[in-house]
Amino acid sequence: MEQLLDRILEDALNNARKMIELGKTATYIPELGRVNKEYLGVCICTGDGRYHVSGDSDVRFTIQSISKVIALAAALERCGFEKTFDRVGMEPSGDSFDSLVRLDLSSDYPSNPMINSGAIAIASHLSCEVSFERMLAFTKKLCMDDEITLNEKVYHSEMGHISRNKAIAYLLESKGILESSVEDSLDLYVRMCSLNVTARSLSGFGLVLASDGINPLTGERLLHSKVVQTVKSIMLTCGMYDGSGRFAVEVGVPSKSGVGGGILSVVDKRMGIGIFGPALDTKGNSIAGQHVLRELSSKMRLHMFADHVPEY
Ligand code: DON
């Protein structure tokens, strides 16, 4: 069984390589544009805590929007469901991740915590409650990875090209949604996006979410059940932005992407999956990474509505 799993991973990776030429790195953050787009890695962490890897699964890259899952979990843990969803909705927007159209024209608060406007609103609240160092320590625990650090180059690169997120933050401030200054909200938001992870770390985080918020190796509860349930639901409906619907149909696994090329996926009760593939599609999701997940979902019957679940 172990060898079969390794072979499925290897094949999925090799089959997905052809997609890389169709994607591009995220040049709007210059430092991300310099990453080699040929990287491709996958890691699965199964319920017994074993890691199965293929390709560039230990190469560090920035977590980017996958940190929105961590920020949402931290906000829910610290201030509860009601207060968190007072300032941000839980509906898919159908718009691109950095859109401000809906926020400006038809709503007084961001559609959900996975788009930039929602995540900046959450960061504004967190920044009055908790330091970046505490958020980093929380991230290390959730990912079961002590080596996570701030990527200073990417942090400064994004801070130097922050106009669009600044526009979003000022719009949020004008609507009375921010709880700290535009500067402090963006600083925490961008620091969290600039954490260096690997596909292996994301698979560890995926396993914690698949295990109801418990680190299965130590038995320590890291998140409340209700928080985990909420986070996974929002990942399923909003985690791949305006590609979330098709991804839910084709892969059927709650996931969250980042423009650094990462994808975090949670196969409930079974495994966490981490992907790294910095060539992105037009929606900002790893193009080869999604191909890998489609193949894994079909071969291993990972879709949450699959009718039969084999032993992996
Ligand atoms: O705020 C930004 O634009 C980036 N730091 C994160 C965006 C992102 O990862 C969107 N993901 N696919």
Side-chain angles (χ1 to χ4, degrees), residues 173-185:
E173 188 179 53
S174 77
K175 287 173 179 276
I177 294 170
L178 289 194
E179 289 189 36
S180 40
S181 67
V182 163
E183 289 70 26
D184 289 352
S185 308

Side-chain angles (χ1 to χ4, degrees), residues 28-29 64-65 97 116 158 165 189 193 241 257-259 284:
Y28 78 100
I29 300 174
Q64 297 300 334
S65 281
F97 64 82
N116 288 11
E158 181 161 359
N165 280 335
Y189 169 76
C193 287
Y241 305 111
S257 62
V259 289

Side-chain angles (χ1 to χ4, degrees), residues 28-29 32 63-66 68 97-98 114 116 120 158 162 165 189-190 193-194 239 241 256-260 262 280 283-286:
Y28 78 100
I29 300 174
L32 295 186
I63 190 169
Q64 297 300 334
S65 281
I66 302 168
K68 291 167 178 164
F97 64 82
D98 59 355
M114 299 290 114
N116 288 11
I120 293 168
E158 181 161 359
I162 194 83
N165 280 335
Y189 169 76
V190 175
C193 287
S194 306
Y241 305 111
K256 181 74 202 84
S257 62
V259 289
L280 308 177
K283 298 177 194 296
N285 299 323
S286 170

